[in-house]
Every structure is written in structure tokens, then in C-alpha cells.
């Protein structure tokens, strides 16, 4: 480990790797980059990493083109350019255009073509803005939302994903597709464990009922054997105003 005590001079390093133990947070932070400018070792300063920047804390790993560290004991992390990373505790991988992370509150704000992958539950989310709270394991999604899980494809203007309870709340032209079935409403709640859906406000949808046709009995021995039962699909469309429907009721 390299210790740096120069607090009053501007430092520039190439191909560097530093590791610090922050007494306030009791958390190690490791970073590397092609170039660094700023003051190292000061508790309240700004340090900029440029080119193949890499940051690792006890709970977060981030790679980006540029990273800025600031605040007491490098509390705030800002990253831009080809960002990819992972939460080492909750097993959430992500990519985005820009990132802001508070090491004290454990809240990450991801912006621009955001993709979030919950490895534990096989849930994939896309949006333009996602705020993720590492402690509560709750993600808030905004703008151009798409979330997939099993056979569910979900969309809306605003969504809240609860990782621990496996619940998804959608609002603003919310829609959930399950194979051929489509559910639309102003607000939708999806239980990803039970697959129950609750719809509220301007409810619309299309449900396909799959039935098997029974083979006709033979009338004579000379007649050919009946074919395998065929599947018939019956589509039902529905529309309701200011009401709630729970799938399966």
C-alpha cells in the first residue's frame, strides 16, 4: 500500500493504483486510472481520474472513462463515459452513461440508457433514470421503462422495483404482457413470485383462453383414427373504468 501525505500540491500520476482506508466510513476504497489530478490524502478535496478509471469499495465496483471523487473521505463518486459496474452485496449489475454515488447513504443515481440486471431473481430493467438504494434494495425507474421477468414484459412512465419482496409497481400508461395476454391500466402492481396482477384506473386488456378440443368418437372400423387433440385459442378483450381487477379472480 502506498501512503501519500502531500496535501497542498497538485499531483498528476499516470497508470496509478491507490488504496485508502477511510476512518470515518471504515471502508476501503481502491481506484486506478491512466491519469489523476487533484489532492490525495486530504479529507475534503476533489480528485479526478481520467482514462480507464476503476473504483472499488467494499460494496460497489465501477468502471468508466472518467471518475471524480469529492467530499469528506471521498464520500461522493461521479462517473461518466461507458460506465459499467456491480453491487457486490446485492448482486446487481448495471451500465449507464453517467452515475452519482453517495458512499454514506448508499444511494446510486444512474442516468442515460440505464440497464440494471438483478442476478438473484433474473430481472432485467431498462430506463433513462434509475435510483437504487443499496440498503433498502429498492430501485425507482423513470422514462422509457422496460422490465422483464420470466414471461412478463412490463412498461410505463414510472416504476418502483422492490427486490426483497419481489414486487413491481407501475404507473403512467402501465402495461404488462404475459405471452399473448396484455394488461393495461393507469396503475399496475405485479407480484413476481405469485404472478398476481392488480390493475387500477382505466383498466383494459386482452386475455387468450387456451382450450383443447376433444376428439370425435369413431363410428365405424373403416374410418381413420382421429387426430391428436387440437388446441383452440379464444381471445377475450375487456375494458373497465375506475376499478381494480386481480388476475385469476
Amino acid at each position: 500500500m502506498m501512503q501519500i501525505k502531500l496535501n497542498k500540491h497538485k499531483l498528476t500520476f499516470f497508470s496509478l493504483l491507490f488504496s485508502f482506508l477511510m476512518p470515518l466510513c471504515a471502508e476501503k476504497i481502491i481506484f486506478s486510472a491512466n491519469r489523476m489530478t487533484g489532492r490525495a490524502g486530504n479529507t475534503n478535496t476533489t480528485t479526478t481520474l481520467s482514462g480507464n478509471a476503476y473504483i472499488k469499495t467494499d460494496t460497489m465496483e465501477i468502471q468508466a472513462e472518467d471518475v471524480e471523487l469529492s467530499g469528506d473521505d471521498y464520500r461522493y463518486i461521479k462517473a461518466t463515459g461507458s460506465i459499467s459496474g456491480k453491487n457486490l452485496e446485492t448482486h446487481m449489475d448495471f451500465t449507464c452513461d453517467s452515475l452519482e454515488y453517495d458512499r454514506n447513504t448508499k444511494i446510486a443515481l444512474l442516468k442515460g440508457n440505464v440497464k440494471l440486471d438483478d442476478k438473484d431473481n433474473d430481472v432485467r430493467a431498462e430506463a433513462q433514470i434509475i435510483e437504487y438504494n443499496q440498503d433498502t434494495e429498492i430501485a425507482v425507474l423513470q422514462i422509457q421503462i422496460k422490465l422483464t421477468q420470466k414471461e412478463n414484459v412490463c412498461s410505463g412512465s414510472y416504476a418502483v422495483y422492490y427486490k426483497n419482496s419481489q414486487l413491481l409497481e407501475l404507473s403512467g400508461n402501465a402495461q404488462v404482457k404475459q405471452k399473448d395476454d396484455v394488461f393495461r391500466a393507469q396503475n399496475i402492481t405485479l407480484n413476481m413470485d405469485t404472478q398476481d396482477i392488480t390493475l387500477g384506473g382505466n383498466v383494459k386488456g386482452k386475455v387468450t383462453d387456451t382450450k383443447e378440443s376433444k376428439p370425435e368418437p369413431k363410428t365405424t372400423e373403416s374410418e381413420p383414427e382421429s387426430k391428436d387433440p387440437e388446441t383452440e385459442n379464444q381471445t377475450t378483450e375487456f375494458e373497465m373504468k375506475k376499478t381494480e381487477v386481480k388476475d385469476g379472480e
Side-chain angles (χ1 to χ4, degrees):
M1 179 184 297
M2 179 183 294
Q3 296 182 345
I4 298 178
K5 298 181 180 179
L6 300 177
N7 298 328
K8 298 182 179 180
H9 301 282
K10 185 175 180 180
L11 305 178
T12 303
F13 296 90
F14 296 86
S15 301
L16 53 90
L17 174 64
F18 291 107
S19 175
F20 294 98
L21 184 64
M22 303 304 174
L24 180 62
C25 302
E27 181 183 47
K28 180 190 292 185
I29 178 170
I30 299 172
F31 56 86
S32 65
N34 293 341
R35 178 184 177 88
M36 183 185 88
T37 58
R39 293 182 176 90
N42 198 338
T43 59
N44 191 5
T45 188
T46 298
T47 299
T48 301
L49 309 175
S50 303
N52 299 314
Y54 172 80
I55 296 284
K56 184 177 181 181
T57 69
D58 290 347
T59 58
M60 186 77 76
E61 189 175 61
I62 302 168
Q63 291 178 308
E65 287 300 318
D66 300 292
V67 173
E68 179 185 279
L69 306 171
S70 62
D72 293 343
D73 300 320
Y74 295 127
R75 173 179 175 177
Y76 303 106
I77 298 175
K78 292 183 179 181
T80 56
S82 303
I83 298 169
S84 64
K86 61 181 65 177
N87 188 303
L88 303 176
E89 287 185 337
T90 61
H91 308 124
M92 302 278 274
D93 292 358
F94 58 86
T95 60
C96 59
D97 295 337
S98 67
L99 172 146
E100 297 178 13
Y101 179 59
D102 187 328
R103 295 174 56 231
N104 283 9
T105 64
K106 304 295 184 184
I107 294 177
L109 182 61
L110 317 176
K111 294 182 179 181
N113 303 309
V114 185
K115 294 183 179 180
L116 190 66
D117 190 355
D118 181 355
K119 297 292 187 180
D120 291 337
N121 300 289
D122 196 24
V123 174
R124 293 175 178 82
E126 298 179 14
Q128 289 304 306
I129 300 174
I130 296 181
E131 181 181 275
Y132 181 68
N133 189 314
Q134 205 171 319
D135 289 336
T136 62
E137 298 193 49
I138 296 175
V140 178
L141 296 76
Q142 300 180 62
I143 308 173
Q144 299 178 11
I145 295 168
K146 179 182 178 182
L147 186 143
T148 59
Q149 182 256 359
K150 294 182 178 178
E151 296 175 345
N152 298 305
V153 180
C154 312
S155 59
S157 301
Y158 184 89
V160 182
Y161 171 57
Y162 302 87
K163 174 181 169 72
N164 290 334
S165 57
Q166 279 300 280
L167 286 176
L168 175 67
E169 295 176 349
L170 292 162
S171 60
N173 299 317
Q175 176 178 281
V176 175
K177 290 184 178 180
Q178 295 178 332
K179 289 187 176 180
D180 296 328
D181 299 341
V182 181
F183 304 92
R184 298 184 182 92
Q186 194 61 33
N187 303 287
I188 298 179
T189 300
L190 171 64
N191 187 317
M192 296 182 174
D193 286 331
T194 64
Q195 299 299 300
D196 286 341
I197 299 177
T198 302
L199 311 176
N202 299 324
V203 176
K204 299 179 182 180
K206 181 179 70 173
V207 178
T208 301
D209 185 17
T210 302
K211 298 180 179 179
E212 289 187 352
S213 60
K214 297 181 180 179
E216 296 181 359
K218 296 180 181 179
T219 55
T220 62
E221 294 182 357
S222 60
E223 291 182 355
E225 295 182 357
S226 61
K227 298 180 180 179
D228 294 335
E230 296 180 352
T231 299
E232 296 180 352
N233 292 333
Q234 183 178 357
T235 301
T236 303
E237 295 187 3
F238 60 87
E239 180 174 350
M240 284 170 280
K241 303 289 185 179
K242 296 181 180 179
T243 186
E244 291 189 355
V245 175
K246 191 172 184 180
D247 187 29
E249 291 185 351

